[in-house]
Amino acid sequence: MQELLGDDYGNIYLYKNKDLSFTKYDSLGTQLGKVMLTFPYKIQSVTNPLNIVMFSENAQEIKFLDQNLNEIQKINLSGIFGFIKAVYAEDLQYAWLIDESNKTLIQYNFRSSSVISSFPFSINLQSLRDFLVYDNRIYILRDNAFEVYNATATLLFAKKLMDAKKLRRINNDILVFESQAVQKFDGKNISEIFRNESAKIVDKNNAGFLALIKDKLYLYQK
């Protein structure tokens, strides 16, 4: 299993890279939906379970799924841009794209198929795991580092990490997920807010922190 996510309604989502399946369960373990994917996808989050966003670098497309994991929209990027390395859907209208071939950061309105803004963004994209954009800052997650840039690609902050997995924004805080820990960046400093040395995967919802330990999922309340 590559990814575990929990929404704020107690539902659990599992993404398996072995068979490229994405499955939704309720808190009792009853399967609520399942989709078999043709290409590997990066699931952005399940914060809004009515519109789950996922991106495939291989297929160069963004998919939106509903609460039953049915596809409600697909956006093909290959005929519009160069090679898109990563996508961050800001909301249900705008997405930020990192175009690796043109070394640009693009704000794209996918509802109207129009480019809102484009910035030169010439940074090394090797080992890129995830990124997001918030308040004129670009947050980059690599396998072993967390970095913050401004719109001119100037490095503002950097911190080495162990086995980084994904980023998520909650209000003004940026959460950094590793295999066994969650760290919080408040705009100036990064600090650890959860760790479980036995966990294989950790996540967070509004009830607390989720940890997959062996074959059981545990919820640690705040």
Side-chain angles (χ1 to χ4, degrees):
M1 186 166 53
Q2 183 173 341
E3 188 74 73
L4 175 147
L5 307 103
D7 67 21
D8 290 340
Y9 301 93
N11 301 308
I12 302 300
Y13 303 75
L14 304 179
Y15 175 68
K16 296 182 180 180
N17 55 356
K18 184 177 181 179
D19 60 0
L20 302 181
S21 64
F22 185 51
T23 311
K24 177 181 181 179
Y25 300 90
D26 66 13
S27 58
L28 300 177
T30 303
Q31 182 175 307
L32 301 178
K34 184 174 184 177
V35 59
M36 304 298 295
L37 302 165
T38 308
F39 298 98
Y41 278 82
K42 170 74 176 178
I43 294 91
Q44 180 173 304
S45 79
V46 294
T47 302
N48 181 356
L50 301 180
N51 282 278
I52 299 171
V53 184
M54 53 204 319
F55 167 69
S56 172
E57 182 181 346
N58 300 67
Q60 290 288 285
E61 67 181 22
I62 306 170
K63 280 183 185 286
F64 291 85
L65 307 181
D66 66 11
Q67 70 271 26
N68 298 313
L69 304 190
N70 296 314
E71 182 182 309
I72 53 179
Q73 186 177 7
K74 180 170 68 175
I75 302 164
N76 189 342
L77 303 171
S78 60
I80 307 171
F81 305 101
F83 183 80
I84 301 301
K85 180 69 175 177
V87 167
Y88 171 63
E90 189 175 15
D91 51 33
L92 298 179
Q93 185 172 1
Y94 299 101
W96 289 92
L97 319 175
I98 294 180
D99 190 331
E100 184 177 36
S101 56
N102 296 313
K103 300 293 184 182
T104 54
L105 176 67
I106 301 162
Q107 187 182 28
Y108 181 57
N109 185 327
F110 51 82
R111 297 299 184 196
S112 62
S113 300
S114 59
V115 172
I116 305 302
S117 57
S118 179
F119 308 95
F121 199 66
S122 184
I123 69 168
N124 186 352
L125 297 176
Q126 289 186 349
S127 74
L128 178 70
R129 293 298 300 263
D130 201 4
F131 92 107
L132 62 83
V133 180
Y134 176 63
D135 197 22
N136 298 317
R137 295 290 183 266
I138 299 93
Y139 300 89
I140 297 289
L141 189 66
R142 305 182 187 277
D143 291 337
N144 58 0
F146 169 69
E147 300 168 349
V148 183
Y149 294 84
N150 62 17
T152 61
T154 301
L155 181 63
L156 305 176
F157 180 90
K159 174 72 180 294
K160 291 186 177 180
L161 298 175
M162 293 293 294
D163 197 19
K165 296 295 185 183
K166 62 185 177 182
L167 297 173
R168 185 184 304 166
R169 182 177 71 86
I170 297 181
N171 299 321
N172 294 323
D173 295 324
I174 306 299
L175 299 188
V176 183
F177 292 82
E178 301 172 88
S179 292
Q180 299 176 326
V182 183
Q183 301 203 51
K184 180 180 74 173
F185 181 68
D186 61 7
K188 295 182 179 179
N189 301 297
I190 190 167
S191 58
E192 187 172 281
I193 57 175
F194 177 77
R195 175 174 290 275
N196 189 302
E197 298 289 349
S198 301
K200 292 187 288 186
I201 305 175
V202 296
D203 195 55
K204 186 184 185 310
N205 62 10
N206 64 353
F209 297 94
L210 301 165
L212 181 65
I213 302 173
K214 293 184 178 179
D215 61 346
K216 293 183 179 181
L217 182 64
Y218 294 84
L219 172 65
Y220 295 84
Q221 295 183 332
K222 303 175 187 177

